[in-house]
Amino acid sequence: MTQKIQMVDLKAQYLEIKPEIDAAIQSVIDRSAFINGQEVKDFAKNLEDYLGAKHVIPCGNGTDAIQIALMALGLEPGDEVITVPFTFVATAEVIALLQLKPVFVDVNPCTFTLDEYQLEKAITPKTKCIIPVHLFGQISNMEAIMEIANKHNLSVVEDNAQAIGADFTFSDGAVKKAGTIGTIGTTSFFPSKNLGCYGDGGAIFTNDDDLATELRMIINHGSRIKYYHPTIGVNSRLDTMQAAVLDIKLKHLDRYCQSRFEAAQYYNEKLATIGELKTPKIASYSSHVFHQYTLLVEGGKRDALLEHLKKHDIPCAVYYPVPLHMQEAYVKTSGYKEGDMPVSESLAARVLSLPMHSELDRKTQDEILSVIYTFFE
Ligand SMILES: *Cc1c(COP(=O)(O)O)cnc(C)c1O
C-alpha cells in the first residue's frame, strides 16, 4: 500500500529542508530568547524586503492581524466595515468583536473575490473600511477597490492569509505584492498556508509610519515604554521558534508557489474534458499562488463527487459550505437572509477543493484524477 494521499503534506515539505530547520530550531533553544528573539526581527526585515513593504509587524495569528489592523484605524462602535461573505469566518468575526458592523458585498463568480461592481452601492456615510479577501491564492481587483476607497475616503485592509507571494499588475504595468496595496495588509502563518510555520503565527504590513507605530503598540499591550500604556492593546506575538522556521521557508516561498501553480496547470489540463467541472479562472491583474485548487462542480453533483473521492481515500474539502451572511452567529444580528448574496450561496453549493501543496507530484495527481474520471464515466 502506498502512502495515503494528503490534502496538504507538511511532513514531506519539512523533510526536504530538514537540516536547515533542525539547525534553526536548535539555535533558538541554545540562545533561549523564546519571545522577541533576534529571529523575529530578522524574519520581519526579510519579509519587508521580499514584499517591498516598509513595515512588517509579526503577531500571534492571522485573525489577530485583522483585529489589530482594525483597532489601529481608530474605528468607532457602529462603524460599517465592508467584506465578503464567501471567506473564512475570521474576517467577519473580528469586525463583530470590535462592535463594528459587517456589511457584505457578494463575490465575482469567476474569481471568488470581492465584486468591485457591487462595492459602491454598499457604501453609506457610516462605512469606514473595506476588507477584501484574496481567496484561494488570487488577489482581489485592488486597483478598482483602491479607486473606490480613495473616492470615499475609506481605509482598505487586505486579508492576505491565502495569497502571500502573489503579484498584482496595475493597468500602468506597475507590479506590487499581495497585501502591500491597501492601507494595511494582514496574513496568517497557520501551518497549511502557503508560508506556514509549525504552530500559530501572523503578520501585519503597512507603508504608513504612523500606522506602524500604532500597530506595534497595540500588539504589545498598547505600550511603547514598558509599563506605560497610552492605548488599549492586546498580547499578540510571533514566537522566536516560529520566526526561525518562517525565515527559512521564506527563502523557498517562490519555489513553493511555482510548484503549486504547476500542479494546478496539470489538474486544469487533465480536467478540461469533463464538461461538468469548471477549473479555476485567473484574472488578468493577478497571479495565482493556489493556496487552494478549487473546482466548480455543476449539475448538482458536488456532494456525490465528494463522497466518491472520500470513498476512494482521496482527501478533498468544501471551502466554504455556508457563506457568512447565513451563519447563525451573524444572521441573528445582521438581518441578512438566504438569497441576499446569490453568488456566494451558489458557490457554497458547487465548490470542491482538491489536494494542493508544494510537494504534490504528477503521479499522485494521476491517482486523484483517475478516481475523478471513474465518477464521470
Ligand atoms: C487562515 C485565514 C485567516 C485566519 O488565520 P489564523 O492564523 O488561523 O488566525 C483569516 N482569513 C483568511 C482568509 C484565512 O484563510
Side-chain angles (χ1 to χ4, degrees):
M1 176 74 192
T2 49
Q3 218 200 325
K4 199 169 176 294
I5 296 173
Q6 312 264 331
M7 193 73 185
V8 179
D9 197 344
L10 297 175
K11 181 75 179 285
Q13 194 189 53
Y14 161 65
L15 291 176
E16 207 234 339
I17 51 171
K18 185 176 186 306
E20 279 180 279
I21 294 279
D22 290 359
I25 290 176
Q26 188 59 52
S27 133
V28 173
I29 299 170
D30 288 343
R31 277 186 281 170
S32 299
F34 296 117
I35 298 289
N36 293 334
Q38 187 58 39
E39 286 82 352
V40 181
K41 293 168 196 100
D42 292 347
F43 168 63
K45 174 75 181 61
N46 290 332
L47 189 54
E48 282 166 3
D49 292 346
Y50 174 84
L51 294 170
K54 203 159 172 204
H55 305 277
V56 165
I57 298 143
C59 67
N61 58 66
T63 308
D64 277 5
I66 309 168
Q67 178 178 332
I68 293 158
L70 291 176
M71 289 170 79
L73 292 171
L75 310 183
E76 305 280 340
D79 283 349
E80 293 176 8
V81 178
I82 293 174
T83 192
V84 286
F86 193 60
T87 178
F88 182 57
V89 69
T91 327
E93 186 174 56
V94 297
I95 298 173
L97 273 175
L98 293 171
Q99 296 182 23
L100 306 165
K101 185 176 173 219
V103 172
F104 295 113
V105 168
D106 213 348
V107 295
N108 176 302
C110 294
T111 59
F112 312 155
T113 54
L114 191 143
D115 182 356
E116 63 271 18
Y117 294 104
Q118 299 194 50
L119 177 55
E120 217 160 4
K121 67 172 194 244
I123 296 172
T124 77
K126 294 196 124 182
T127 309
K128 294 289 156 59
C129 180
I130 306 165
I131 311 184
V133 180
H134 304 333
L135 205 72
F136 300 155
Q138 176 162 222
I139 310 176
S140 317
N141 190 346
M142 287 303 293
E143 184 162 12
I145 293 169
M146 291 310 290
E147 213 173 283
I148 295 168
N150 290 335
K151 183 172 145 199
H152 296 269
N153 206 14
L154 307 174
S155 308
V156 176
V157 175
E158 295 176 67
D159 181 348
N160 191 35
Q162 300 191 5
I164 195 156
D167 288 317
F168 189 93
T169 306
F170 288 84
S171 44
D172 67 359
V175 177
K176 283 189 182 176
K177 285 279 179 207
T180 67
I181 304 161
T183 321
I184 300 178
T186 67
T187 201
S188 163
F189 303 125
F190 185 83
S192 64
K193 299 286 156 89
N194 284 32
L195 179 60
C197 58
Y198 293 173
D200 274 312
I204 311 162
F205 328 136
T206 186
N207 291 320
D208 181 313
D209 295 339
D210 295 335
L211 270 176
T213 304
E214 191 67 22
L215 289 162
R216 286 185 210 282
M217 221 161 32
I218 294 170
I219 62 161
N220 184 34
H221 297 289
S223 172
R224 276 169 86 184
I225 303 160
K226 214 168 184 178
Y227 307 123
Y228 291 81
H229 306 274
T231 184
I232 294 175
V234 296
N235 171 22
S236 188
R237 296 183 285 237
L238 179 70
D239 69 60
T240 311
M241 204 108 70
Q242 302 305 343
V245 170
L246 287 165
D247 207 24
I248 290 165
K249 287 183 68 175
L250 177 60
K251 289 184 252 164
H252 301 282
L253 178 60
D254 284 340
R255 181 168 64 82
Y256 291 158
C257 291
Q258 180 62 24
S259 65
R260 284 171 179 267
F261 183 78
E262 283 164 17
Q265 294 308 101
Y266 191 69
Y267 275 140
N268 284 348
E269 201 182 296
K270 298 288 173 178
L271 294 171
T273 52
I274 302 178
E276 283 172 303
L277 292 182
K278 277 198 196 131
T279 55
K281 302 277 178 296
I282 307 181
S284 56
Y285 45 75
S286 176
S287 67
H288 201 319
V289 294
F290 286 98
H291 173 59
Q292 298 296 347
Y293 181 84
T294 304
L295 294 166
L296 291 177
V297 188
E298 306 298 357
K301 293 186 178 167
R302 196 270 313 275
D303 291 341
L305 176 56
L306 182 133
E307 281 313 311
H308 176 81
L309 286 162
K310 295 243 148 127
K311 201 173 81 198
H312 291 85
D313 255 345
I314 306 291
C316 58
V318 173
Y319 305 117
Y320 296 93
V322 182
L324 298 187
H325 72 288
M326 286 166 60
Q327 292 284 356
E328 208 180 328
Y330 299 93
V331 167
K332 276 187 234 155
T333 49
S334 67
Y336 284 103
K337 58 183 186 315
E338 191 171 347
D340 288 347
M341 300 283 143
V343 176
S344 295
E345 291 167 34
S346 157
L347 291 176
R350 293 186 292 149
V351 285
L352 187 65
S353 300
L354 297 182
M356 173 51 73
H357 54 85
S358 49
E359 275 64 41
L360 187 61
D361 56 40
R362 301 302 96 93
K363 187 176 144 289
T364 309
Q365 286 186 285
D366 284 337
E367 278 179 57
I368 297 163
L369 288 160
S370 70
V371 175
I372 297 177
Y373 294 150
T374 61
F375 179 81
F376 287 102
E377 256 164 17

